[in-house]
Amino acid sequence: MRAAWTRDVDWPLVAATVLLAAYGVVVLVSATHGAPGAAALVRGRALHLAVGTVALLVAARLDYRRLAAAAPLLYAGALLALGAVLVVGDSRLGAQRWIALGPVGSVQPSELAKLVVIVTLARHLDAARTLPRLRALVPYAVHVAVPALLIVRQPDLGTALVLLAILAAMLYVAGARPVDLAAAAAGGAALLPLLWGALHDYQRRRLLAFLDPYADPLGAGYAIIQAKIAVGSGQLFGKGLFAGTQNVLRFIPEQHTDFIFTVVGEELGFVGATVLLGLYGVWIWRALAIAAGARDRLGGLMATGIGAMMGFHVVVNIGMTVGLLPVTGIPLPLLSYGGTSLLATLAATGLLLGIRARAWGARG
């Protein structure tokens, strides 16, 4: 029994997750060192890790097929929570994304909605079997568009884009023709002028700052300029933990959340950043390997969606930190401070472990 248990666990995925979580704690301690409330943030991180570990173990034990059977209930619950945010949600930094739960703290339903979309869309696509033409993609686009539009209203454009990335990856694996996906992407691009008019002023300033941050160096371009200075100043080996001037002198806003990669780049340098990217690479590689070796199509689609979610988060977060992509405000998984994000990522890891264990268990 013990030998079978150890065989069913994907140890590279477990190791990458543990090391990323530990990496996140170290960088968080450095990012908040000496700041007001630093001890409370570290204690909060420890609590989030404990709760997230329980979520990982529960998700790994759950049969993902039974979870998919509850898709209508999960989807309705996610829409209800996203709608509730717009009515009774807490506002911070110009966005209304959280629901307060009294002494427990607060939750960000959009983070959990990503997992719900993956599970429910996998079931939807699994039932379809074939996607013969472009119009066959419409029901799945609507499936994702409804929660995405509720998230855009918060406003949280970055998380809405994560859902679109998940949709594209899962449609491709489900058999959608690349030409149809390209046509859908072109149609979406044609709507960008309309989207520009619907954006908030600060979102438009962010996009313009991406093109030329020095046009507004003390406003919209400030975070991008400071982040690039921090990452570039780390050079090969970095300045050492607690020794980054951009970090210690608090030049970078939100350096313990969305811009935490700047601390990695400045204090641990190219080597530290490469190690971090390597750990994410292992995590995503195992997600895709689990998708390829899943026991059934449903498990493969879920694992694909989870891998796409992680990959999009890593590429966009680090891309915006080094000035290659616009600032969209999405966290770096397992590193950025945020309880719901950490909980969702660890629960997603548990789902992957469960899919893998059931595939290997079926092989005897």
Side-chain angles (χ1 to χ4, degrees):
M1 179 65 74
R2 182 177 177 81
W5 179 80
T6 55
R7 180 202 63 184
D8 293 345
V9 175
D10 193 295
W11 292 110
L13 176 61
V14 172
T17 304
V18 170
L19 291 172
L20 282 167
Y23 207 121
V25 171
V26 171
V27 177
L28 174 69
V29 171
S30 184
T32 59
H33 181 67
L41 288 174
V42 175
R43 285 197 300 271
R45 185 65 166 195
L47 177 62
H48 298 156
L49 278 172
V51 175
T53 301
V54 172
L56 183 152
L57 295 173
V58 170
R61 290 285 297 173
L62 275 176
D63 187 331
Y64 61 90
R65 293 162 295 187
R66 291 188 177 181
L67 188 63
L73 188 61
L74 290 172
Y75 191 74
L79 296 185
L80 185 63
L82 292 173
V85 169
L86 300 177
V87 179
V88 299
D90 278 354
S91 295
R92 306 173 195 168
L93 303 174
Q96 190 170 340
R97 302 175 184 172
W98 299 267
I99 292 180
L101 297 177
V104 177
S106 61
V107 296
Q108 189 175 349
S110 59
E111 289 292 335
L112 301 176
K114 288 181 288 191
L115 265 187
V116 171
V117 166
I118 289 170
V119 171
T120 58
L121 183 62
R123 188 198 181 197
H124 196 174
L125 285 166
D126 185 47
R129 311 310 302 179
T130 60
L131 298 168
R133 56 182 65 87
L134 181 59
R135 68 182 180 186
L137 308 185
V138 172
Y140 312 104
V142 172
H143 185 125
V144 174
V146 175
L149 288 174
L150 288 171
I151 292 170
V152 168
R153 289 278 298 167
Q154 294 180 4
D156 186 357
L157 183 60
T159 300
L161 293 175
V162 175
L163 294 186
L164 295 183
I166 290 170
L167 172 67
M170 292 178 70
L171 282 175
Y172 178 73
V173 170
R177 298 184 306 169
V179 65
D180 290 338
L181 293 176
L191 296 176
L192 286 180
L194 296 177
L195 176 63
W196 178 263
L199 293 176
H200 291 255
D201 286 341
Y202 81 91
Q203 291 173 314
R204 284 195 285 265
R205 287 196 297 271
R206 279 183 176 180
L207 292 174
L208 293 174
F210 164 67
L211 298 174
D212 183 10
Y214 292 95
D216 187 11
L218 299 179
Y222 178 79
I224 299 173
I225 293 169
Q226 298 301 325
K228 291 168 75 172
I229 291 172
V231 173
S233 66
Q235 299 189 27
L236 186 59
F237 295 108
K239 299 173 181 173
L241 286 171
F242 310 107
T245 51
Q246 295 291 104
N247 174 28
V248 173
L249 299 178
R250 314 293 173 207
F251 278 111
I252 304 166
E254 306 301 319
Q255 62 185 3
H256 66 294
T257 56
D258 295 344
F259 280 91
I260 198 165
F261 184 75
T262 60
V263 182
V264 175
E266 183 181 25
E267 300 193 345
L268 301 175
F270 177 80
V271 173
T274 301
V275 170
L276 180 66
L277 289 174
L279 290 173
Y280 281 123
V282 170
W283 201 102
I284 295 167
W285 160 54
R286 293 315 305 160
L288 298 180
I290 289 170
R295 179 179 183 176
D296 50 31
R297 191 168 184 257
L298 178 66
L301 286 167
M302 282 189 195
T304 297
I306 293 170
M309 177 178 70
M310 175 64 90
F312 189 83
H313 267 270
V314 172
V315 169
V316 173
N317 180 281
I318 294 179
M320 76 178 191
T321 301
V322 299
L324 294 177
L325 292 171
V327 174
T328 53
I330 67 173
L332 189 57
L334 298 171
L335 260 75
S336 294
Y337 187 82
T340 318
S341 170
L342 185 63
L343 175 69
T345 304
L346 291 176
T349 307
L351 269 178
L352 286 175
L353 291 172
I355 294 168
R356 201 269 190 187
R358 281 164 181 78
W360 281 77
R363 295 171 188 172

